[in-house]
Amino acid sequence: MTFGEQPAYLRVAGDLRKKIVDGSLPPHTRLPSQARIREEYGVSDTVALEARKVLMAEGLVEGRSGSGTYVRERPVPRRVARTGFRASGGSTPFRQEQAADGARGTWESRSEQAEANGMIAERLGIRTGDRVMCTKYVYRDAGEVMMLSTSWEPLAVTGRTPVMLPEEGPLGGCGVVERMAAIDVVVDNVAEEVGARPGLAEELMSLGGVPGHVVIVVQRTYFASGKPVETADVVVPADRYRIAYHLPVR
């Protein structure tokens, strides 16, 4: 193979991808069989199989048990707005962020005390094994699961206060900024790191994806005078949503 020349399986996958994108192979159409690919492109069974694997890994096709491999419906990506924290507003960031798009957002949550593992302890600036309040959220847009989130708050900050449970009590559901302000902790900064990775099996089960699908992960941490007071992982299916940031110019 000369410099710059693609392996045969990538050339075959590229041609099939082009047909999927331009509509020559529309959604729900059965992908040519391995034997058909071998004959049409003059390649080996191994090359034909690897080309099909590439398209499956890219989420362009899906296997159906006992039936074959079919072109997947390609959803039009929707936006998940990120606007940073707001000093007030009486609602959670999810409510604030979705309001601009008129989305019919609902969610469910579950909180429980836990011990911080090494990664969470580092993010919160506490010791491994320190107690935290862990809250898991499932967010829906018009009934469809659109986002998962897990947050951790050090109980050294919120323990035995009216805001210990993020979604319960007098300020339940009001978001980190207002809840912390109620116990005289002034949140003055928030940091977000955005990355992507293959979804975990349990994440994809909730989000309606298939093994190998990629998710966008937003790692968010709220700070008060440089001290982390909450950190969270927000998980969004990459094939259905885009993260849109609206940040003020200072």
Side-chain angles (χ1 to χ4, degrees):
M1 183 175 68
T2 61
F3 179 76
E5 182 181 352
Q6 285 187 319
Y9 76 94
L10 289 181
R11 294 199 302 273
V12 173
D15 188 66
L16 291 171
R17 184 190 304 111
K18 180 176 180 299
K19 291 179 179 179
I20 292 172
V21 171
D22 68 18
S24 301
L25 288 172
H28 310 296
T29 299
R30 186 172 180 175
L31 194 71
S33 67
Q34 187 169 313
R36 176 77 178 275
I37 293 174
R38 182 190 65 215
E39 295 172 3
E40 182 175 343
Y41 292 94
V43 296
S44 66
D45 281 333
T46 299
V47 168
L49 177 61
E50 290 302 314
R52 289 159 62 92
K53 286 182 178 179
V54 168
L55 298 177
M56 191 167 292
E58 292 176 351
L60 294 173
V61 301
E62 61 185 356
R64 299 179 185 174
S65 180
S67 179
T69 304
Y70 292 79
V71 177
R72 292 184 65 238
E73 187 80 43
R74 299 178 66 205
V76 177
R78 286 176 280 177
R79 294 168 60 249
V80 175
R82 306 291 295 173
T83 58
F85 75 85
R86 301 181 186 181
S88 63
S91 63
T92 63
F94 177 69
R95 282 179 177 173
Q96 294 176 355
E97 291 159 3
Q98 298 307 304
D101 291 332
R104 293 171 291 170
T106 60
W107 73 93
E108 57 192 60
S109 64
R110 184 181 74 253
S111 296
E112 61 183 7
Q113 295 189 32
E115 293 183 354
N117 62 27
M119 178 185 67
I120 298 305
E122 181 178 355
R123 284 164 57 173
L124 287 174
I126 59 179
R127 293 177 305 223
T128 299
D130 281 358
R131 303 294 290 176
V132 295
M133 183 62 70
C134 177
T135 304
K136 295 181 181 293
Y137 296 86
V138 177
Y139 296 94
R140 290 182 171 84
D141 178 8
E144 177 184 294
V145 177
M146 62 172 290
M147 184 166 64
L148 305 175
S149 177
T150 304
S151 73
W152 298 267
E153 295 179 353
L155 287 173
V157 175
T158 61
R160 298 185 179 182
T161 73
V163 301
M164 185 172 73
L165 295 169
E167 296 295 324
E168 297 181 24
L171 290 177
C174 284
V176 175
V177 178
E178 289 197 9
R179 289 176 46 250
M180 293 296 170
I183 57 173
D184 298 322
V185 175
V186 179
V187 172
D188 54 17
N189 191 22
V190 59
E192 292 193 348
E193 296 182 9
V194 182
R197 59 167 171 75
L200 304 178
E202 56 269 27
E203 292 170 340
L204 295 175
M205 182 177 296
S206 297
L207 293 168
V210 299
H213 275 195
V214 173
V215 295
I216 301 169
V217 181
V218 180
Q219 181 179 301
R220 181 197 69 208
T221 304
Y222 284 103
F223 297 86
S225 300
K227 179 180 179 180
V229 296
E230 188 259 14
T231 193
D233 286 336
V234 180
V235 179
V236 180
D239 63 331
R240 284 179 278 150
Y241 290 92
R242 297 290 181 266
I243 304 294
Y245 281 87
H246 300 271
L247 304 175
V249 177
R250 296 182 179 180

